[in-house]
Amino acid sequence: MVLYGFWRSSATWRVRIALGHKQLEHEYRPVNLIADGGGDQHRAEYRALNPMRQVPTLELTEEDGSVVRIAQSLAIAEYLDERWPERPLLPRERLARARTRQIAEMINAGIQPLQNTSVRDHVQGKFGADPDVWCRHWIERGLDAVEAVVQGSAGKFAVGDEPTIADMCLVPQLYHARRYGLDSKAFVTLTRIESACAELEAFARARPERQPDAPKR
């Protein structure tokens, strides 16, 4: 199993958490999104693996021996959950499972794409706007909504007392909120959940600064 990703990518981070939670061994191959020339994701070799030119991509062998590649972090996480159901990432109860997906998508679709490097570069290059101001606006707006929803579903974690894909999305998003200068203290429930996640090995090992392609300080 091979994970193609970037150390600071929220989406790659989510899959690192999922793989760690499932205790699945894998090889990590970095894709430098900010390399000279616009990023390694635009190179022909990687485009052949992922035509969207995004990370992550997970390459693995199916039970029939065929090699497959899956992109998009939530699709990867649900595949892993179905193939290796131990230590589930989705609750079994129907409403809790729907709420988990709702929270994950609020972040995955409603916040994170607006802070991507390609969007930031376009906002700055095309409109001359400050990309950090842009990111703070959309992150704060989104996290306000996530905080309100999670107040009705949280136990120790975002939905109940076991970690799910909602937490897998939340932790990287709070990291990037701080990266762009947003004070996360206002999100009381979310930061409490983040602290609970930090105690788990799968979350701790997935942190960006612990990845082999992270800049050495």
Side-chain angles (χ1 to χ4, degrees):
M1 190 182 306
V2 179
L3 174 62
Y4 294 86
F6 181 62
W7 68 281
R8 201 172 57 196
S9 155
S10 293
T12 305
W13 188 346
R14 297 169 193 159
V15 176
R16 290 196 299 261
I17 294 170
L19 290 167
H21 182 75
K22 296 282 187 182
Q23 299 178 344
L24 296 172
E25 295 294 328
H26 64 281
E27 177 188 350
Y28 178 63
R29 294 185 188 172
V31 179
N32 188 349
L33 302 184
I34 56 174
D36 292 343
D40 291 343
Q41 71 274 23
H42 301 300
R43 297 182 184 276
E45 299 89 337
Y46 188 72
R47 290 179 68 177
L49 302 178
N50 186 332
M52 279 293 285
R53 292 176 275 174
Q54 296 175 338
V55 292
T57 301
L58 186 68
E59 182 178 84
L60 71 164
T61 303
E62 276 276 56
E63 288 145 324
D64 63 2
S66 60
V67 176
V68 297
R69 300 181 186 96
I70 308 171
Q72 301 299 324
S73 61
L74 297 187
I76 293 170
E78 293 213 23
Y79 172 92
L80 296 176
D81 221 32
E82 291 175 12
R83 184 166 174 184
W84 291 280
E86 297 80 10
R87 302 173 63 83
L89 286 165
L90 282 166
R92 293 180 180 174
E93 192 274 318
R94 182 173 58 195
L95 180 58
R97 192 163 60 247
R99 193 70 71 210
T100 298
R101 288 189 172 114
Q102 175 189 347
I103 295 164
E105 284 293 359
M106 290 173 75
I107 297 169
N108 179 61
I111 306 175
Q112 186 262 328
L114 294 165
Q115 70 189 28
N116 277 351
T117 300
S118 59
V119 173
R120 288 172 50 82
D121 290 347
H122 186 74
V123 165
Q124 186 172 32
K126 184 73 172 180
F127 304 109
D130 184 333
D132 287 353
V133 172
W134 164 273
C135 289
R136 282 196 297 274
H137 170 78
W138 293 110
I139 293 171
E140 184 172 25
R141 182 179 185 273
L143 288 181
D144 278 340
V146 175
E147 172 77 16
V149 170
V150 165
Q151 285 175 2
S153 65
K156 183 176 181 181
F157 298 100
V159 181
D161 293 322
E162 298 294 333
T164 67
I165 60 171
D167 307 287
M168 187 179 82
C169 292
L170 174 62
V171 168
Q173 188 54 65
L174 288 171
Y175 169 94
H176 285 286
R178 298 184 186 102
R179 179 182 168 212
Y180 295 126
L182 189 65
D183 186 355
S184 62
K185 293 178 183 177
F187 308 114
V188 176
T189 312
L190 302 185
T191 53
R192 176 184 62 74
I193 293 166
E194 180 187 35
S195 295
C197 291
E199 297 176 0
L200 302 179
E201 183 179 5
F203 283 81
R205 293 183 64 180
R207 288 194 60 81
E209 64 271 14
R210 297 186 64 173
Q211 306 316 305
D213 55 329
K216 301 298 185 284
R217 296 183 180 180

